[in-house]
Amino acid sequence: MTSLQKTLEIRSSPHIGSGNSVDTIMFHVVLALVPVSAYSIYAFGLTSLLTLLTAIAACVVTEHLLCRLNGRATTVGDWSVVITGLLLGLTLPPGIPLWMVAVGGVIAVGLGKFLFGGLGYNPFNPALVGRAVLQATFPVALTSWPVMPADRFSSLPTSTLAWPFVEPTYDAISGATPLAAWKFEQQTTATADLLFGSTTGSTGETCAILILLGGVYLASRRMMSWHIPVAILLTVAMFSGILNLADPTTYASPLFMLLSGGLMLGAVFMASDMVGSPMTRKGCVIYGVMIGVLVVLIRVWGGMPEGVMYAILLGNAAAPHIDNLVQPRVYGSAKTQEGGT
Amino acid sequence: MMFFGRKTTFAHGIHPPESKDDTSGERIRQFEFAPVLVVPLSQHIGKPALAIVREDQEVLRGQCIAEADGFISVSMHAPVSGTVRRLGLTPSITGRMTQGIFIEPFPGSTQEIMGGTPIDSASASPDEIIRAIQAAGIVGLGGAGFPTHAKLRIPDDKSVDTLVINGAECEPYLTADHRVMVEHAADVMAGIPYLMRATGAPRAIVAVEANKPDAADALREAIPDGAAITVEVLPVKYPQGAEKMLITALLGREIPSGGLPLDVHALCVNVATTAEIGRLLPQGAGIQERVITVGGPAVKRKGNYRIQIGTPIRFVLETVGVEDDITRVFLGGPMMGQAVSSLDIPVTKGTTGIIAFTERETGHVGNTTVYPCIRCGHCVEACPIFLNPSTLGLLAINDQHQQMADEFHLMDCFECGCCTFVCPSHIPLVQHFRVAKRAVRKAQAEARASEVKA
């Protein structure tokens, strides 16, 4: 029999796999972000599209070049760098000068990811590292919300194309974001506006419904631990709910806290990033509660209206330690065994 | 019975595709005799048997051709009536060459099986039963190959309250135990009293996974009146057939780390082993054949065959026919089975299945790139003994073997493969752990050796 003369391969068991793969998971995260991105382009027009494209391009090119320079095979194909680019773009205000976006992308991948060893080794969410650096470097540009031109699909706010290292000029500044309005002017925004995204805010954070939809999609495919976003959102709701009950005039309602700012996007797509979060379910819940508490603390008592970014970065820093604390009890390692029945 | 609050299952585990439909309905068929059969002297854990035949000697089918050497060892019996051609080395699944007896069958012999002194389960003493099981050459037919009689001798300070007959057969593709339960339920029921008598167990539970309802029905029907035997149907989950998992699922007891089922008053015996005891002991015969699933996408005439011990894998595959794009052959199921390094390896008592894959299956759905660990935690959710395979894997890459054993319970891993199955980064975790366990054992042995010297 000729077919038995051919060389058979010897591999160690198991001989079958689940078919799950890092690149498929990452690709599906990108898919889950498509509706959010599409809405941001619809809401803010051309400038949003350019911001997202610039962020993705900067991240992909940086990763590709760094891999090449280090003599490694390029890792762009695993899609994770596309997620970083997309998330970075989605957390930036519309109308931000594109050169800043590109700087953010280079920093996100170079400093946030590659410096630590690439995918899997980055302790912090790379997109948030990029954004944090931008926030520290260009505080004005990161908190200016220009009014979108009426023909937003064919023209850009002047600030978008500002030259590097030149102070961007804004045609008109729109109202503050819902969180800033609440924090500094004690004004609240209608819940429906928050849900459907007709408010000011970063390109991708305004439409809570689409973000949740993406999260449900990923959780249903077991590509995301739903424990993390649920823990974060429940904690925020409960903590701010208690505050709101104690003094409704000073503290915003839990619904407002949940739907405003970057909480949804952060909880669903950034805190749940597998690399930076704990591995055990118990760990995920602790991590989520910690982020939730930090979000409320920073929003209510901190100097800034928004605290999601720092809360998640702090959570990332704590994740390995949480993992150490909640190592599962190994089968059969209990102190004594009860015998018989 | 299912009570509130406790499900008859264990925590974690996975649900690989069962892939059993091709063979689960196939009746057991007798396989033909190979031109030369090779009976390895070591088909079990423990000392190899001692050959008691010489070259050119004529042997009868069922005749004892090698005797047990010590307590942790069993006898071997001629799988065929024929002539001993030589005693020599044969390749084995471990990759090493081992001693074997080469037998050429007589053409045209009736191949009648030779019996011996029958043993009666009701009147024989526990000791007689234990010796008869050893003389019959019975080892765990589930694949482990541990001499069955050795675990039946219960130390004075231990006792057994439940005998668990393992019919879980949780490995994909394998249906040999399934067919044995359906077609030889009476043998299973005949075997259980021997085991109960030998161990003093007051009751026995036959555990069957829910994907084999016909087996559970056949077994229930075969229970003799008044026997303290029950059949439990468990939800399908891998690795339910692992001793630890099965006892936890059935009895809710956890075997201590490094311990045995005896430590929780249980004893686990594979269902095919039990059937073999029930078939052989009443005739005083020894094992000369076993039921094996020959399947997988690369096999043409898939099925469950009763194959002589010592039949070369090559002969089996040539007889059933294989597809041209065959790429891998392994013994046992796809989760824990070992890939064969040579097709001249003979079937042994521990061979549960011969499964052949083609390019399509071995390509892991076309993606074998190994990515870095992304800490997704899927392995942590899958590990049935609650290890942290991710951390262990990272330590393994850096050869931190001792730390793996000291801090992360490496030695508790029984290599079920769940972590590797679910890993989206395709990291060969189990293989890392095998290497690490071997290194730790070697270091321990060296430490002991130097202590002795000093």
Side-chain angles (χ1 to χ4, degrees):
Chain A
M1 184 137 315
T2 45
S3 45
L4 283 178
Q5 251 126 46
K6 71 185 257 192
T7 313
L8 297 176
E9 53 173 46
I10 307 170
R11 292 269 299 267
S12 67
S13 66
H15 303 283
I16 50 175
S18 60
N20 207 354
S21 184
V22 167
D23 52 351
T24 359
I25 295 180
M26 297 297 173
F27 178 70
H28 281 280
V29 176
V30 174
L31 276 189
L33 281 167
V34 164
V36 185
S37 314
Y39 183 81
S40 90
I41 294 165
Y42 163 77
F44 300 104
L46 198 55
T47 177
S48 176
L49 176 69
L50 288 180
T51 304
L52 293 180
L53 288 180
T54 310
I56 295 172
C59 288
V60 170
V61 169
T62 309
E63 176 143 315
H64 184 72
L65 287 180
L66 283 173
C67 284
R68 277 296 171 82
L69 285 175
N70 284 276
R72 294 198 209 168
T74 182
T75 48
V76 171
D78 65 25
W79 290 92
S80 71
V81 68
V82 178
I83 302 176
T84 302
L86 253 182
L87 284 178
L88 175 69
L90 289 171
T91 55
L92 297 174
I96 182 174
L98 291 179
W99 71 271
M100 293 185 188
V101 179
V103 169
V106 172
I107 290 169
V109 172
L111 183 70
K113 185 175 172 190
F114 202 86
L115 201 64
F116 291 101
L119 177 66
Y121 298 102
N122 46 302
F124 299 104
N125 185 307
L128 287 180
V129 172
R131 193 191 193 278
V133 170
L134 287 181
Q135 172 112 43
T137 322
F138 312 110
V140 178
L142 266 275
T143 46
S144 299
W145 317 94
V147 174
M148 288 301 120
D151 46 350
R152 59 181 190 273
F153 296 111
S154 54
S155 70
L156 293 164
T158 42
S159 55
T160 305
L161 294 175
W163 286 97
F165 309 109
V166 176
E167 188 76 23
T169 50
Y170 295 96
D171 312 318
I173 298 293
S174 80
T177 60
L179 270 174
W182 159 75
K183 182 149 187 145
F184 303 121
E185 296 153 33
Q186 281 77 45
Q187 287 171 4
T188 53
T189 313
T191 309
D193 290 344
L194 291 169
L195 260 179
F196 299 108
S198 43
T199 62
T200 330
S202 297
T203 52
E205 66 181 35
T206 56
C207 186
I209 290 251
L210 290 177
I211 298 170
L212 281 175
L213 207 70
V216 170
Y217 173 75
L218 287 180
S220 70
R221 291 181 152 261
R222 293 204 60 215
M223 288 175 171
M224 179 186 82
S225 152
W226 56 267
H227 304 76
I228 295 172
V230 168
I232 295 178
L233 298 177
L234 275 181
T235 309
V236 169
M238 278 162 58
F239 193 6
S240 59
I242 294 168
L243 293 176
N244 183 250
L245 276 182
D247 184 359
T249 51
T250 333
Y251 303 110
S253 76
L255 203 59
F256 174 80
M257 286 294 253
L258 282 181
L259 297 176
S260 59
L263 182 63
M264 278 294 163
L265 190 67
V268 175
F269 284 103
M270 290 189 259
S272 65
D273 175 20
M274 291 165 172
V275 180
S277 58
M279 279 186 285
T280 56
R281 275 193 197 154
K282 212 197 272 173
C284 284
V285 172
I286 297 174
Y287 166 87
V289 169
M290 178 186 152
I291 292 176
V293 169
L294 282 171
V295 166
V296 179
L297 284 180
I298 299 175
R299 277 185 178 181
V300 174
W301 289 287
M304 293 165 297
E306 180 56 299
V308 173
M309 176 175 76
Y310 291 113
I312 295 177
L313 287 172
L314 285 169
N316 286 161
H321 305 287
I322 296 175
D323 259 340
N324 282 343
L325 279 179
V326 296
Q327 279 297 321
R329 183 194 63 85
V330 171
Y331 178 98
S333 64
K335 294 130 275 165
T336 44
Q337 291 294 318
E338 40 104 34
T341 31
Chain B
M1 283 290 278
M2 251 211 232
F3 298 103
F4 288 109
R6 206 181 82 73
K7 279 206 317 223
T8 45
T9 188
F10 60 99
H12 293 187
I14 56 169
H15 293 96
E18 293 172 26
S19 316
K20 290 175 188 268
D21 292 346
D22 282 340
T23 52
S24 61
E26 294 283 322
R27 287 193 70 84
I28 299 170
R29 281 172 282 174
Q30 188 69 36
F31 209 74
E32 46 200 275
F33 294 101
V36 175
L37 287 89
V38 189
V39 182
L41 292 176
S42 181
Q43 302 182 26
H44 49 259
I45 293 167
K47 285 183 88 174
L50 294 170
I52 54 166
V53 289
R54 52 179 168 70
E55 274 177 31
D56 297 329
Q57 183 178 334
E58 293 182 354
V59 292
L60 286 174
R61 190 173 182 209
Q63 179 186 336
C64 183
I65 53 174
E67 277 176 348
D69 180 18
F71 186 63
I72 311 289
S73 181
V74 295
S75 313
M76 302 290 162
H77 300 79
V80 72
S81 295
T83 316
V84 175
R85 279 295 165 221
R86 66 189 176 96
L87 304 173
L89 290 173
T90 169
S92 76
I93 190 67
T94 60
R96 292 200 193 90
M97 301 293 276
T98 57
Q99 282 292 329
I101 302 172
F102 291 66
I103 303 172
E104 195 182 312
F106 292 137
S109 156
T110 55
Q111 299 294 0
E112 206 76 41
I113 298 169
M114 203 179 109
T117 327
I119 301 284
D120 179 40
S121 60
S123 58
S125 73
D127 216 46
E128 279 170 342
I129 293 175
I130 288 171
R131 259 179 292 147
I133 288 175
Q134 182 176 24
I138 292 165
V139 301
L141 298 188
F146 187 76
T148 303
H149 71 276
K151 60 181 182 185
L152 297 181
R153 181 158 288 165
I154 313 298
D156 289 339
D157 57 337
K158 298 269 161 69
S159 68
V160 178
D161 64 20
T162 311
L163 173 69
V164 175
I165 305 299
N166 186 351
E169 198 168 52
C170 57
E171 275 270 11
Y173 289 97
L174 299 187
T175 55
D177 286 357
H178 182 176
R179 292 313 303 177
V180 167
M181 289 188 279
V182 171
E183 295 176 40
H184 301 290
D187 285 345
V188 176
M189 291 305 157
I192 292 173
Y194 286 105
L195 296 169
M196 289 171 75
R197 178 133 176 94
T199 59
R203 64 161 176 164
I205 303 175
V206 189
V208 184
E209 278 198 346
N211 54 5
K212 300 179 263 290
D214 48 343
D217 289 344
L219 288 167
R220 281 204 183 103
E221 237 158 74
I223 298 176
D225 287 336
I229 303 171
T230 49
V231 176
E232 286 258 15
V233 177
L234 303 170
V236 179
K237 187 153 74 165
Y238 180 87
Q240 188 117 247
E243 211 167 58
K244 286 180 176 179
M245 277 44 263
L246 190 61
I247 286 172
T248 303
L250 276 178
L251 308 173
R253 303 178 196 164
E254 212 170 90
I255 300 167
S257 168
L260 292 170
L262 265 188
D263 295 324
V264 293
H265 309 282
L267 191 78
C268 197
V269 178
N270 168 268
V271 75
T273 314
T274 312
E276 221 37 30
I277 290 172
R279 197 168 72 94
L280 298 173
L281 261 57
Q283 295 155 32
I287 292 196
Q288 77 285 327
E289 56 187 14
R290 64 156 299 155
V291 180
I292 296 173
T293 302
V294 183
V299 170
K300 281 183 179 153
R301 285 182 297 283
K302 307 173 181 59
N304 291 295
Y305 298 96
R306 196 174 273 283
I307 302 180
Q308 310 308 312
I309 306 293
T311 306
I313 307 292
R314 184 187 301 278
F315 178 78
V316 175
L317 291 178
E318 276 171 0
T319 309
V320 296
V322 294
E323 304 291 345
D324 287 336
D325 54 350
I326 184 170
T327 52
R328 193 185 303 178
V329 177
F330 47 88
L331 303 186
M335 290 302 296
M336 290 185 77
Q338 285 174 286
V340 298
S341 49
S342 157
L343 289 174
D344 298 319
I345 293 172
V347 162
T348 63
K349 295 170 185 175
T351 309
T352 50
I354 301 172
I355 311 292
F357 273 4
T358 65
E359 198 70 63
R360 244 171 57 84
E361 293 76 35
T362 48
H364 280 225
V365 203
N367 191 338
T368 47
T369 320
V370 175
Y371 295 97
C373 172
I374 56 166
R375 300 168 44 82
C376 64
H378 288 181
C379 53
V380 178
E381 290 299 316
C383 181
I385 54 166
F386 320 132
L387 299 176
N388 187 333
S390 162
T391 309
L392 281 168
L394 291 175
L395 289 169
I397 294 171
N398 298 310
D399 291 333
Q400 303 290 315
H401 299 147
Q402 203 53 51
Q403 193 188 353
M404 291 166 76
D406 294 343
E407 292 171 38
F408 294 96
H409 304 266
L410 168 70
M411 303 317 269
D412 282 320
C413 170
F414 63 92
E415 304 168 17
C416 65
C418 288
C419 51
T420 314
F421 178 86
V422 298
C423 181
S425 294
H426 313 129
I427 302 169
L429 291 163
V430 181
Q431 181 58 13
H432 282 318
F433 302 160
R434 285 195 191 105
V435 172
K437 280 165 81 174
R438 183 162 284 211
V440 170
R441 286 211 190 93
K442 203 174 155 200
Q444 281 169 351
E446 275 166 11
R448 266 200 302 274
S450 63
E451 248 170 58
V452 171
K453 262 184 222 152

